[in-house]
Amino acid sequence: AARLKQGLSKSRNHMSKSLAGVFGGGKIDEDLYEELETVLLTSDMGIEATEHLLADVRRRVSLRGLSNADELRGALKDSLYELLKPLEKPLTLPENHAPENKTPFVIMMAGVNGAGKTTSIGKLAKYFQTQGKSVLLAAGDTFRAAAREQLQQWGERNHVTVISQASGDSAAVCFDAVEAAKARGIDIVLADTAGRLPTQLHLMEEIKKVKRVLQKSLPAAPHEIILVLDANIGQNAINQVAAFDDALGLTGLIVSKLDGTAKGGILAALASTHPVPVRYIGVGEGIDDLRPFDARAFVDALLD
Ligand code: GDP
């Protein structure tokens, strides 16, 4: 919990500074609600989430008969928690993905360049290994040599095999990786893909092809399709999630770089406009800076 608070300290400081005026405001009145509205909007929560939260806080205030501004904190925490709770759907690995079944659990990773995809794959490789799972990486971002090298380094740090080709297409590399995982009885395949912008339509076709080819290597694959989303891109996040979801059918998100933003409201915006389960959040560049998303812990870290 302390590590999470540390990771979210920028957002936490922003929130506590801007909310100090609200919670210290004496009586609950319209001015106070207006101030609260401004704070929520400047935290990247977006219009929908802000309106939802305001209405919900008002409801709680009247239900509980609150009149003092300092009692608003509790109401706001409860409202935010209820909004974010549906996003909390941790990734659970099904029992039948035991190595002896030769059916690896395949996780396809998507995201625009720079979102934190490769770093998140490195963190996940460590995370799954500490859970006793064997992992194999597929260097599916075949367009950038640097991406391949970076993944290779994460593979070395984690002592896991990286399936890579100097040339060739993304889908072929991912297919080979699943075949290798089957043959070696590996539990989990983490497949990197090229990080193109979703507006580049023909490139989006490329990533759809990766999905199709993965399905050919194993009927249930990819079991997870995760978009890595940079928490710093503000309301653009919504468009990005919608575009990738349209193209691929996302099963989850990793929201990266939450430590780098003072506006941790993006999760609330997602919850009220395009909810997709937030599997993990990234709160630093280090290999251990990945956390399963826990709505209660998140709200506490932000608002306590
Ligand atoms: P990719 O292009 O999507 O594969 O992005 P990278 O994994 O290469 O990450 C881009 C940059 O973001 C790198 O400098 C990473 O160290 C950094 N990064 C990734 N995740 C996080 C995070 O959770 N917090 C911080 N502070 N930096 C991150």
Side-chain angles (χ1 to χ4, degrees):
R3 287 280 294 274
L4 186 64
K5 275 188 183 158
Q6 169 70 26
L8 294 175
S9 61
K10 283 191 188 170
S11 291
R12 180 182 167 74
N13 291 340
H14 171 79
M15 280 289 201
S16 69
K17 264 195 208 120
S18 48
L19 284 171
V22 178
F23 297 149
K27 286 266 167 273
I28 297 177
D29 57 17
E30 284 309 306
D31 285 350
L32 214 62
Y33 283 122
E34 224 165 89
E35 237 180 280
L36 181 58
E37 182 174 29
T38 307
V39 174
L40 298 178
L41 284 173
T42 58
S43 303
D44 266 358
M45 300 227 177
I47 303 283
E48 288 87 353
T50 297
E51 283 179 356
H52 168 87
L53 286 171
L54 273 180
D56 201 55
V57 167
R58 281 178 191 272
R59 185 178 63 82
R60 284 173 204 277
V61 164
S62 84
L63 213 66
R64 296 176 195 173
L66 308 179
S67 59
N68 287 320
D70 62 357
E71 296 169 313
L72 270 182
R73 184 191 297 272
L76 179 61
K77 278 182 67 179
D78 292 347
S79 296
L80 186 58
Y81 171 71
E82 247 174 47
L83 179 62
L84 297 181
K85 180 71 181 165
L87 299 182
E88 181 188 308
K89 295 198 181 97
L91 180 63
T92 48
L93 301 171
E95 287 298 329
N96 64 352
H97 288 283
E100 58 270 22
N101 294 338
K102 302 210 179 298
T103 55
F105 189 83
V106 179
I107 304 178
M108 179 177 165
M109 305 284 288
V112 304
N113 283 339
K117 196 158 40 72
T118 314
T119 307
S120 296
I121 291 174
K123 291 172 179 175
L124 278 177
K126 162 105 189 267
Y127 180 82
F128 289 134
Q129 281 188 306
T130 56
Q131 297 187 341
K133 304 288 182 188
S134 54
V135 177
L136 184 141
L137 307 182
D141 189 349
T142 49
F143 291 87
R144 291 189 307 145
R148 218 168 45 233
E149 281 158 26
Q150 206 189 333
L151 200 72
Q152 202 75 51
Q153 282 166 15
W154 282 109
E156 280 161 25
R157 280 177 75 177
N158 285 299
H159 309 290
V160 300
T161 304
V162 180
I163 302 296
S164 175
Q165 290 173 9
S167 60
D169 79 335
S170 198
V173 173
C174 293
F175 185 87
D176 286 353
V178 175
E179 293 304 309
K182 282 195 238 173
R184 298 176 198 186
I186 298 280
D187 296 311
I188 297 171
V189 175
L190 290 166
D192 196 6
T193 60
R196 317 311 252 298
L197 281 169
T199 45
Q200 297 168 299
L201 275 182
H202 58 294
L203 302 167
M204 212 58 173
E205 289 309 312
E206 182 103 18
I207 197 172
K208 285 194 204 167
K209 181 174 151 199
V210 175
K211 181 183 173 183
R212 281 199 306 276
V213 169
L214 282 172
Q215 277 162 344
K216 287 197 179 124
S217 64
L218 201 66
H223 303 84
E224 275 281 315
I225 303 176
I226 292 183
L227 175 70
V228 180
L229 194 66
D230 181 338
N232 294 277
I233 62 172
Q235 296 298 304
N236 287 335
I238 310 298
N239 298 333
Q240 229 176 70
V241 171
F244 276 95
D245 197 19
D246 272 356
L248 296 171
L250 297 174
T251 60
L253 299 176
I254 291 179
V255 181
S256 68
K257 310 190 199 179
L258 270 165
D259 56 306
T261 176
K263 303 180 168 189
I266 190 60
L267 292 185
L270 280 169
S272 51
T273 55
H274 202 110
V276 174
V278 177
R279 302 297 198 196
Y280 303 94
I281 56 174
V283 289
E285 289 186 288
I287 195 160
D288 294 314
D289 295 324
L290 188 82
R291 301 267 177 288
F293 175 61
D294 175 333
R296 174 62 70 196
F298 186 83
V299 170
D300 286 350
L302 216 57
L303 290 176
D304 250 357

